[in-house]
Amino acid sequence: MKYKIFSLFALLLLTSFSSLPSKNFETKITTIKANNSLSKVESIYLNLKSNACALPSFDCFSIALEGFNKFKEKGIFKKNILTLIDFSKSSNSKRLWIIDLDSDEVLLNTYVAHGRNTGNEFADKFSNKAESFQSSLGFYATAEIYNGKHGSSLKLDGLQKGMNDNARERAVVMHGADYVSEKFIKNNKRLGRSLGCPAVPEELNDKIITLIKDKSCLFIYHPSRKDKFI
């Protein structure tokens, strides 16, 4: 009888210990929490209204959205418009997106040039230095409009020290250019290049400037610096 009672007690004790959370269980909880924190970004991305265009990569979008939110909290951005440029893609592809974060809609997807010394068809060299004729990566705030040699142009303020904060000094602006066109690609096997500005098609220049002016976010991405953006 004593043996049976002891055995029953031992069984109950073992059962109670086995019900305690294991390290694997804790790991799963941590993973679930991490996935839940990402789910908002994933949800926005998966529900973007693309208007039949290809979407930016998830890596590009998620970094851009995280940076947008951080700078927005500081009061730097006044509009919920996010412009993405993915310089990992061929210049022969439409690698600029303008996204309305209020409606989760892609408003425009088009071509954009990189700097003359940044690469030929593909961008692979970047600089924050004057006279480098290279593109600068990172987060920008759109600033004032002016009329320059390329017509209506939009000044940009680089928000990241050492990466793009010399944008004004370098006159890195958004403007239209005739070398940003499918005709130029057809004749030259690649898009034309700027002196470092994110130049866009002439016929879309005014529309783009109107959409993104007045302190909206512009993010220029390349995976080689993905750990430096935020």
Side-chain angles (χ1 to χ4, degrees):
M1 182 68 177
K2 289 181 179 180
Y3 177 77
K4 289 182 178 180
I5 293 172
F6 177 78
S7 298
L8 181 60
F9 175 77
L11 180 61
L12 290 171
L13 189 64
L14 181 63
T15 304
S16 66
F17 275 114
S18 66
S19 66
L20 291 175
S22 66
K23 287 186 178 180
N24 287 338
F25 178 79
E26 290 173 357
T27 301
K28 287 180 180 179
I29 291 296
T30 302
T31 302
I32 289 169
K33 286 181 178 178
N35 287 339
N36 284 342
S37 68
L38 188 62
S39 65
K40 290 182 180 180
V41 180
E42 288 178 324
S43 178
I44 294 171
Y45 181 77
L46 292 172
N47 288 289
L48 285 175
K49 304 175 187 73
S50 67
N51 292 322
C53 73
L55 291 176
S57 71
F58 179 72
D59 272 357
C60 177
F61 178 79
S62 60
I63 293 171
L65 188 61
E66 183 180 356
F68 168 84
N69 287 331
K70 287 186 176 181
F71 285 115
K72 184 76 183 293
E73 286 175 2
K74 296 177 182 179
I76 292 174
F77 301 136
K78 296 181 179 178
K79 299 169 71 173
N80 289 333
I81 296 291
L82 176 59
T83 303
L84 306 181
I85 295 174
D86 185 352
F87 275 159
S88 72
K89 296 184 177 297
S90 164
S91 62
N92 297 343
S93 65
K94 294 182 178 182
R95 53 185 181 169
L96 179 150
W97 294 263
I98 300 176
I99 299 172
D100 185 336
L101 294 175
D102 286 328
S103 62
D104 294 337
E105 180 181 5
V106 177
L107 302 178
L108 192 144
N109 173 220
T110 191
Y111 300 101
V112 60
H114 57 247
R116 178 190 300 170
N117 292 336
T118 282
N120 291 312
E121 179 184 343
F122 287 90
D124 57 16
K125 299 179 185 69
F126 307 98
S127 177
N128 191 36
K129 295 180 180 178
E131 307 301 324
S132 66
F133 301 147
Q134 293 182 20
S135 298
S136 298
L137 302 173
F139 288 90
Y140 297 79
T142 61
E144 66 269 26
I145 301 170
Y146 73 100
N147 196 45
K149 65 179 181 179
H150 295 288
S152 184
S153 304
L154 182 65
K155 290 189 177 182
L156 303 171
D157 288 318
L159 301 176
Q160 297 188 274
K161 189 173 182 179
M163 186 179 290
N164 60 21
D165 57 332
N166 289 330
R168 274 194 179 258
E169 177 188 335
R170 296 179 60 204
V172 172
V173 302
M174 183 163 281
H175 63 77
D178 58 3
Y179 53 77
V180 186
S181 66
E182 292 183 352
K183 180 180 179 180
F184 191 97
I185 294 172
K186 184 177 180 180
N187 292 336
N188 298 275
K189 308 302 180 186
R190 62 163 173 78
L191 199 69
R193 297 169 298 172
S194 68
L195 298 182
C197 298
V200 295
E202 285 184 316
E203 68 274 14
L204 293 175
N205 185 54
D206 288 343
K207 180 178 181 179
I208 290 171
I209 289 176
T210 298
L211 285 173
I212 72 173
K213 65 180 181 178
D214 299 331
K215 298 295 182 183
S216 74
C217 176
L218 167 67
F219 175 58
I220 303 180
Y221 170 84
H222 192 271
S224 63
R225 300 295 299 277
K226 64 185 295 183
D227 59 331
K228 306 293 184 183
F229 292 127
I230 304 299

